[in-house]
Amino acid sequence: MGVNAAPAPTAARPSAPRRLVPPLSAAAAVAIPTGYVATVDPNVPGHYPDCPFLAATGWWCPGCGGLRCVHALTHGDLSGALHDNAVAVLLFAVLGVLWVRWLWAALRALPGPGLALGARRWVLVGLLVLVFTVVRNLPVGAGLAPPPV
């Protein structure tokens, strides 16, 4: 045990542009396919593959209408997006808030916000998706199902 032990070196704080690379890269990774969906209309048959779950069961899966939802959102049609896939709109809003928090933390050189969902919350999310899937396939929930292409 030496008395003259050197202090542990402190890590240099990365510069602001370097800290912004991860959140801005994530934004670009989302923006590129979103731009494609914005320009290539999923409401026109033949541009995208059919949902295998819908083809096998005749039921809308929780993701059915997701591309049409993105297309509607990129064209400023919130009511159309909600009709195409309301759960996707909710998911996009949550992801947007999380991304802004991540960007803000990167700007201020703080650790990125964590997303810790306990088992109960994951069960709640699963139940929400299950209820959404069942209701959108019933006559009472027809407003939650995207129009057929």
Side-chain angles (χ1 to χ4, degrees):
M1 303 291 197
V3 182
N4 297 330
T10 58
R13 197 168 93 180
S15 66
R18 188 171 184 93
R19 291 191 312 264
L20 292 175
V21 167
L24 294 179
S25 296
V30 170
I32 292 168
T34 300
Y36 179 81
V37 173
T39 57
V40 180
D41 190 354
N43 295 298
V44 176
H47 293 293
Y48 299 96
D50 293 333
C51 172
F53 184 81
L54 178 63
T57 66
W59 275 45
W60 300 105
C61 81
C64 280
L67 290 176
R68 288 182 258 180
C69 172
V70 170
H71 183 79
L73 285 174
T74 60
H75 291 273
D77 182 10
L78 180 60
S79 65
L82 287 167
H83 181 281
D84 290 333
N85 195 319
V87 168
V89 173
L90 177 65
L91 175 66
F92 299 152
V94 168
L95 291 175
V97 167
L98 291 173
W99 182 83
V100 168
R101 289 181 58 201
W102 184 20
L103 181 67
W104 183 250
L107 282 169
R108 300 191 62 214
L110 299 172
L115 180 62
L117 294 179
R120 285 184 178 169
R121 288 191 179 151
W122 278 116
V123 168
L124 183 63
V125 168
L127 286 174
L128 171 74
V129 170
L130 179 65
V131 168
F132 172 72
T133 303
V134 171
V135 170
R136 77 188 313 208
N137 285 287
L138 297 174
V140 71
L144 295 172
V149 176

